[in-house]
Amino acid sequence: MNKKTLSEDDISAKFITPAVIQAGWDEATQIRRQVYFTKGRIIVRGKLVTRGKAKRADYVLYYQHFPIALIEAKDNNHAVGDGMQQALEYAHTLDIPFVFSSNGDGFVFHDRTGQSAQLETTLPPEAFPSPEALWAKYRAHKGLAPAEEQVILQAYYDDGSGKEPRYYQRNAINATVEAIAKGQNRILLVMATGTGKTYTAFQIIWRLWKAGQKNRILYLADRNVLIDQTMVNDFRPFGAAMAKLSTSSKTIERADGTSTELTTAIDGQRRIDTAYEIYLGLYQAITGPEERQKLFREFSPGFFDLIVIDECHRGSAAADSAWREILDYFSGATQIGLTATPKETEYASNIDYFGTPVYTYSLKQGIRDGFLAPYKVIKVHLDVDVEGYRPENGAVDEQGNEIEDRIYNQKDFDRVLVIDERTRRVAKWVSDYLKQSGDRMQKTIIFCVDTEHAARMRQALINENADLAQKNSRYVMRITGDDADGQAQLGNFIDPESPFPVIVTTSRLLSTGVDAQTCRLIVLDRAVGSMTEFKQIVGRGTRVHEDTKKYYFTLVDFRKATNHFADPDFDGDPVQIYEPGEADPVTPPDDLPPSIDAEDPIPAEPGEDETVIVRPDITLPLVAEEPHGKYYIKGQPVRVLTERIEYLDENGKLVTESLRDYSRRAIRSHYASLDQFLARWKSAERKEAVIEELAEEGLLLDPLLEEVGKDLDPFDLICHIAFDQPPLTRRERANNVKKRDVFTKYGPQARTVLEALLAKYQDEGIVSGLDNVHILEIPPFNEMGTPLQLIKQFGTKANFENAVHELQAALYQETA
C-alpha cells in the first residue's frame, strides 16, 4: 500500500486510529473523531446571511468525561508534525493539555503542561501514550490529591438526548469545579448573554452535588422569571430535592410545552422547610429593610455549602447593598458569581469581592464562534436632537407653564421636556422600518426614558399601526414594573411560539435577564450611561433562534447609546477605574495612548480601513439638569436628518460601508493584487474553486451582481469591484471568442456543441461545470444527440474536457 496515495481519512482509519487503540484507548468511549466545536460565524450583508466554516478537531481523546488529548491528522504527503500549529490553536481554545500531530508514520507530541523532558517529542506509532499515562501527567501538573481528583472526574448530567456542554461551557465548568476542589471559595464566571450561564451553573452544581462536595445549595436571582424558568428547564433534573423560597406555588410551562407546579419551601406562616437540598430564591423574597423581612436568617449561617448568584453585577457586588448582607451572612459557603458584564466602579466591584474571573467568554468570541447572533446598527439623527430646542420668548407648555428660556437637548427630551412630535416621529420611523422590512411581526423592544415615556410611545405606535392593533390589542404593549397587565404578557413576549405581543415598550424591566430568543429589533430611545447596562441591552438580541431563522438582529439608536462601541472594553472584559495619582489630572487625559494589543495593535493614526462612528461636529453641549417637572409641547415638527447602517466586521469592530466596499476589502484581503488574482484564476482548472474560496470567506457574488446591476460574470465582477478594472459583459466576452474563431480545428458537430456552450455562458453566466459531461443531458444539447454521441465528435471524453478548458481560456485571454 502506497501511503502517499491515501487520503487524510484513510491515513486516520488505517494508521492513526489503530495506534491509539493499541495504546489502550477505547474506541467507543474515549475516542471521538471529527469533533466540531464552533458553529461557524454568522456573516450578514444586507439581507444575505451566511455562516463561515465551523472549527473541527480531527481527534479528541477523553479520560472518563475529561478531554485530555487532541490529534491533528494529515495525509502522508505532509511531514509528521505539519498539523501541530493548527492543533495547538485548537487545544488552546478547548483547554486540552496534550497535543499530537500525525501523518500516519508516527506522532509529534506536544506537552502543554511542561511535565515531559522536552516540550515536543517525535514518537513511533507503538509509543503513543496510554490514557493512564496522560492522566498521571495531568494529575501531577495540577497537583491533584485523590479527593480533588474524585470531584474533577465526577460526570456531567446526561439526559440521554446527546446534549452536552459546548466547549466554552465545558471550560467554564471544569475551571470552576477544579478551583472549588482545590479550596477556592469565591468564584467569578464571566459569560456573554445568550451563552448558557444557567445551564453551565446547573452542570457545576450537579457535579459538586453528586460528588458529595456540596450538599446544600442556594441559587439566587433578582427576577421571578429567572427563578421559575430555571426550575422547570435547566434545573429540572434536581427533581424532588429542589424547592423555591416562596410562599405560593404556581403552575408554569416548561420549554417542551408540558406544565408543572413549582415546589415551595415556605409555608403560609413563613416557616422554612429545611429538608430540601437545592433552594432557589429571589433576593427580594428573603430580605428587606425591616428585620422581619430578613427571611434568610431563618437558616443557620453554616446551612449552605454553595451559593450561586445569577447576574451578580446587579446589586450583590456593592458592599452596602441589602442583597450583599445575604452573602455576608453565609460567608462560610462557597460563592459563585455569574455575570455577562462584570462591574468595576468606585462604588461596586465584582472582582474585589469574587476575585479575578476563573473563565471569561465574551460577546466578541461568541459571535466569532457562531453561537451568538451578530447585529446591524442603525443610527438615526433627528433634527431636534442635533440642533436642540429653544422656546420662543414667553412660550408656555400645554399646562400653561412658562418654559425656561434655554437650549434643551437630547438629554432633556422626555425627562425634562416632552415634545409629542418627537415621540410620534420615533414611532413612525420604527413602524416604517417594520413595514419596509416585510415582517411587521418581528419581536421588537423599545427602551424609553421612563415608564411615562414608555406609555406615550406605546400610544404613538398603536396609532402608527392601527390596522394590526385593531386585529389584536396586544400587538403593541407596555411592559414596565408598574404595569401589571403588561408584566402578565412578559411570558408571551419571550415565548417563540406566541405571536403576541410583537412590539414592547419598556424603560428598564427588559434590559436584563429576559431570554427573548426571537427578538429581532432593539430600539434605544433613551441614553444608556452604564456600559454594564448597555451590554445587557445588546444581549437581549444576541440569541440565535434557528427554528424561526433568526440569525442576526438590528439595533436602532436614537440617543447615541452606541457610542459605547468605541470603548475598547466593549467585548466583555471587566471595566476598570481610572485612578489618578496625586499629580495626575482627575479625568483621563485626551492624549492617553491606546492600549497595546499584540494580536490587534491599534495604529497611532486612523487607517483607511477605519470608519468614523462618532462625529464631533454634532456633539451636543452638556446642560445641567433643572429641578422642575416636565414641559409638554405639541406641534413642534421633527424630521430625520440622517440614517446610517453599520456592521460588525470580522474583528468585532463597527464599520459603515456598502456591500460593494465590504466586498472589495474582502477580496483584496485574499488577493493583494490584480496579478495575484489573475494568476490564481488562470491556474485553476475549475474556476468554481476560486469562487468557493471567496465564499468560505463569506463573500457570495449574487447579491453583489444585483447591486452592480451589470451583466458580468464572476471574473469581471471581481476584477471590477476589487481592482477597478473596466468590465466586459458576458455578451462582449462571448463575441470576442467568436471573432477569434477559436473552434476552426474541430469538425462541424463539435463546433456546434462548443458554440452552444458559449451561448449558455453568455445567457446564464456559467463559468464552471462546462466540462461536466452531464451538461450534455440538458437543453439544447440533448436535442443534438446523446452525450455519448456528442463526446464522440471530440474523439474522447478527455478531448471534450480539453476543448472546454480551451474555451474557458479563450474567454479570459485578453486579461488573464
Side-chain angles (χ1 to χ4, degrees):
M1 184 183 297
N2 184 355
K3 278 187 181 180
K4 300 295 183 187
T5 65
L6 297 180
S7 68
E8 182 181 299
D9 282 344
D10 282 337
I11 291 292
S12 297
K14 298 179 186 299
F15 297 98
I16 298 176
T17 301
V20 174
I21 293 173
Q22 187 178 2
W25 298 84
D26 183 85
E27 188 170 16
T29 62
Q30 292 183 299
I31 302 173
R32 285 185 62 189
R33 291 203 55 202
Q34 311 296 321
V35 181
Y36 286 91
F37 57 92
T38 71
K39 291 278 284 183
R41 184 188 180 111
I42 299 169
I43 304 165
V44 182
R45 293 173 196 84
K47 291 187 177 181
L48 173 70
V49 182
T50 62
R51 268 196 189 272
K53 268 189 173 179
K55 290 184 178 180
R56 183 195 70 192
D58 290 332
Y59 288 81
V60 176
L61 308 182
Y62 294 81
Y63 187 83
Q64 296 186 29
H65 68 83
F66 195 90
I68 197 170
L70 181 147
I71 307 173
E72 179 63 26
K74 295 294 181 186
D75 65 37
N76 202 249
N77 293 298
H78 290 80
V80 65
D82 278 0
M84 183 54 73
Q85 290 188 168
Q86 181 179 339
L88 285 172
E89 178 193 337
Y90 288 175
H92 174 76
T93 300
L94 298 172
D95 196 24
I96 291 177
F98 304 114
V99 190
F100 297 85
S101 172
S102 179
N103 66 351
D105 291 341
F107 298 90
V108 171
F109 171 39
H110 185 109
D111 183 357
R112 297 180 66 226
T113 71
Q115 295 292 298
S116 301
Q118 293 181 182
L119 195 59
E120 285 193 1
T121 313
T122 301
L123 305 174
E126 64 273 12
F128 193 86
S130 68
E132 292 73 26
L134 290 185
W135 181 251
K137 277 182 178 290
Y138 181 79
R139 192 175 56 214
H141 167 60
K142 290 292 186 178
L144 297 179
E148 296 165 357
E149 180 184 9
Q150 179 189 349
V151 176
I152 288 170
L153 289 178
Q154 175 62 48
Y156 295 95
Y157 173 77
D158 183 358
D159 63 1
S161 69
K163 179 180 179 179
E164 61 180 9
R166 294 170 174 170
Y167 85 85
Y168 62 85
Q169 294 170 337
R170 187 186 293 269
N171 290 351
I173 296 162
N174 286 345
T176 303
V177 170
E178 181 181 320
I180 292 172
K182 285 183 162 294
Q184 187 172 329
N185 281 323
R186 296 292 180 271
I187 310 285
L188 182 62
L189 273 180
V190 178
M191 296 172 66
T193 300
T195 56
K197 289 192 297 295
T198 310
Y199 175 71
T200 301
F202 161 71
Q203 289 286 8
I204 291 169
I205 295 170
W206 179 269
R207 286 177 59 187
L208 294 170
W209 184 55
K210 282 294 185 181
Q213 182 80 356
K214 304 296 178 185
N215 298 310
R216 288 200 177 102
I217 294 111
L218 173 63
Y219 181 89
L220 284 172
D222 69 341
R223 299 279 168 84
N224 240 322
V225 65
L226 299 179
I227 295 292
D228 296 347
Q229 292 297 328
T230 296
M231 289 185 71
V232 299
N233 293 323
D234 287 327
F235 279 34
R236 182 178 174 182
F238 287 126
M242 172 179 62
K244 181 180 178 181
L245 289 172
S246 172
T247 55
S248 58
S249 180
K250 67 175 181 178
T251 300
I252 188 167
E253 188 174 305
R254 299 187 180 112
D256 62 7
T258 61
S259 296
T260 188
E261 189 172 277
L262 298 180
T263 303
T264 60
I266 306 175
D267 65 17
Q269 284 73 48
R270 290 175 62 82
R271 292 174 301 196
I272 297 176
D273 185 343
T274 58
Y276 295 100
E277 295 174 75
I278 314 292
Y279 293 82
L280 293 90
L282 283 174
Y283 285 106
Q284 302 93 316
I286 61 174
T287 192
E290 299 179 22
E291 193 61 33
R292 63 178 180 81
Q293 295 173 307
K294 301 184 189 302
L295 194 63
F296 66 89
R297 295 188 186 278
E298 296 297 315
F299 294 104
S300 66
F303 184 83
F304 291 110
D305 305 310
L306 174 67
I307 300 179
V308 178
I309 304 98
D310 189 28
E311 306 290 4
C312 67
H313 61 276
R314 284 217 288 270
S316 53
D320 59 351
S321 163
W323 298 350
R324 174 73 168 267
E325 68 177 351
I326 301 174
L327 306 187
D328 290 340
Y329 181 77
F330 297 114
S331 60
T334 298
Q335 297 176 5
I336 302 173
L338 305 174
T339 183
T341 50
K343 179 179 289 189
E344 285 295 303
T345 71
E346 184 180 350
Y347 308 104
S349 169
N350 296 116
I351 291 176
D352 179 58
Y353 184 79
F354 289 103
T356 303
V358 297
Y359 187 75
T360 297
Y361 188 72
S362 67
L363 169 66
K364 179 178 178 180
Q365 190 60 48
I367 291 175
R368 281 185 172 179
D369 286 344
F371 293 117
L372 295 181
Y375 49 97
K376 299 178 186 179
V377 174
I378 302 178
K379 294 189 174 186
V380 185
H381 302 292
L382 302 178
D383 60 347
V384 72
D385 292 349
V386 174
E387 298 161 4
Y389 168 78
R390 183 176 181 179
E392 296 178 0
N393 189 32
V396 296
D397 71 357
E398 287 182 28
Q399 282 80 38
N401 302 312
E402 183 172 348
I403 305 171
E404 180 186 352
D405 182 16
R406 66 176 178 87
I407 295 176
Y408 295 88
N409 63 32
Q410 197 175 56
K411 292 183 180 295
D412 298 311
F413 298 145
D414 300 296
R415 189 166 54 88
V416 175
L417 179 141
V418 174
I419 300 176
D420 67 337
E421 183 62 18
R422 187 192 178 285
T423 306
R424 192 198 69 77
R425 192 65 191 82
V426 171
K428 184 179 188 310
W429 192 99
V430 173
S431 303
D432 288 346
Y433 172 88
L434 291 172
K435 291 170 185 174
Q436 292 173 24
S437 74
D439 180 11
R440 294 176 70 188
M441 297 299 291
Q442 55 185 296
K443 296 288 179 83
T444 300
I445 304 175
I446 302 180
F447 289 96
C448 302
V449 170
D450 54 23
T451 57
E452 183 210 16
H453 182 206
R456 287 186 288 102
M457 185 64 70
R458 171 195 163 276
Q459 183 176 347
L461 286 161
I462 284 176
N463 290 332
E464 291 291 336
N465 297 276
D467 55 339
L468 295 183
Q470 273 189 315
K471 291 179 181 177
N472 192 304
S473 62
R474 294 183 298 149
Y475 180 73
V476 184
M477 293 202 73
R478 181 182 75 155
I479 300 182
T480 54
D482 60 352
D483 189 327
D485 292 333
Q487 285 200 57
Q489 291 299 318
L490 178 57
N492 287 325
F493 179 72
I494 65 179
D495 181 0
E497 302 297 323
S498 177
F500 298 101
V502 177
I503 305 174
V504 163
T505 67
T506 189
S507 57
R508 281 177 169 77
L509 184 63
L510 299 182
S511 64
T512 55
V514 176
D515 187 7
Q517 300 174 50
T518 56
C519 178
R520 295 173 185 264
L521 183 63
I522 295 174
V523 180
L524 292 172
D525 196 26
R526 70 170 172 86
V528 183
S530 159
M531 171 66 84
T532 297
E533 186 179 16
F534 181 69
K535 290 177 183 178
Q536 289 288 333
I537 288 174
V538 170
R540 296 316 98 211
T542 54
R543 287 171 173 82
V544 175
H545 196 261
E546 298 193 8
D547 289 350
T548 57
K549 300 190 181 302
K550 184 233 168 169
Y551 294 106
Y552 69 94
F553 69 101
T554 302
L555 185 67
V556 179
D557 182 16
F558 287 89
R559 302 272 186 157
K560 296 186 183 177
T562 51
N563 285 358
H564 283 297
F565 287 130
D567 191 317
D569 293 320
F570 171 70
D571 72 349
D573 292 331
V575 179
Q576 299 293 329
I577 309 167
Y578 168 66
E579 295 180 306
E582 187 174 345
D584 295 328
V586 295
T587 57
D590 292 337
D591 59 352
L592 202 65
S595 301
I596 297 173
D597 186 340
E599 293 183 3
D600 188 15
I602 301 172
E605 298 294 330
E608 292 182 1
D609 60 340
E610 295 181 50
T611 303
V612 176
I613 61 170
V614 179
R615 291 183 53 193
D617 55 318
I618 60 170
T619 300
L620 301 176
L622 297 177
V623 179
E625 181 179 346
E626 298 296 324
H628 51 61
K630 295 180 184 180
Y631 298 118
Y632 294 84
I633 299 172
K634 281 188 176 293
Q636 172 69 30
V638 176
R639 61 190 176 89
V640 173
L641 281 184
T642 59
E643 298 172 13
R644 294 193 303 182
I645 300 180
E646 300 181 349
Y647 301 87
L648 274 180
D649 70 6
E650 67 277 5
N651 295 313
K653 295 179 181 176
L654 277 173
V655 294
T656 305
E657 59 186 343
S658 66
L659 179 60
R660 178 192 289 249
D661 292 337
Y662 182 95
S663 302
R664 175 188 178 92
R665 186 164 56 81
I667 295 167
R668 296 193 71 147
S669 69
H670 206 73
Y671 302 105
S673 67
L674 176 62
D675 288 342
Q676 279 190 14
F677 172 70
L678 293 179
R680 176 70 182 107
W681 185 268
K682 191 173 183 179
S683 66
E685 191 170 286
R686 288 177 61 252
K687 308 304 181 189
E688 190 175 19
V690 181
I691 300 167
E692 288 170 353
E693 288 168 6
L694 292 172
E696 286 181 3
E697 299 293 324
L699 179 71
L700 299 187
L701 299 180
D702 288 346
L704 194 56
L705 273 172
E706 289 181 18
E707 182 169 305
V708 173
K710 293 188 177 180
D711 189 20
L712 307 182
D713 80 352
F715 175 85
D716 280 286
L717 181 66
I718 292 168
C719 290
H720 178 57
I721 290 294
F723 304 109
D724 302 315
Q725 295 298 300
L728 295 177
T729 64
R730 296 196 304 269
R731 179 176 294 277
E732 288 169 335
R733 286 206 174 274
N735 286 337
N736 286 343
V737 173
K738 292 173 186 175
K739 288 175 187 175
R740 290 196 295 272
D741 203 12
V742 296
F743 305 144
T744 54
K745 62 181 177 180
Y746 298 103
Q749 287 181 299
R751 280 203 302 272
T752 303
V753 172
L754 291 172
E755 287 166 358
L757 285 170
L758 187 61
K760 202 160 193 68
Y761 160 80
Q762 177 181 305
D763 297 338
E764 301 178 22
I766 295 175
V767 179
S768 57
L770 292 178
D771 58 355
N772 189 330
V773 295
H774 291 296
I775 199 170
L776 302 178
E777 298 172 358
I778 63 174
F781 307 102
N782 58 357
E783 298 165 5
M784 301 177 186
T786 67
L788 189 61
Q789 291 170 333
L790 297 180
I791 289 173
K792 195 172 182 181
Q793 306 308 314
F794 295 87
T796 65
K797 178 183 176 185
N799 288 345
F800 167 72
E801 291 171 349
N802 287 336
V804 175
H805 294 159
E806 287 177 10
L807 168 60
Q808 290 176 326
L811 282 169
Y812 306 109
Q813 181 177 324
E814 292 178 352
T815 315

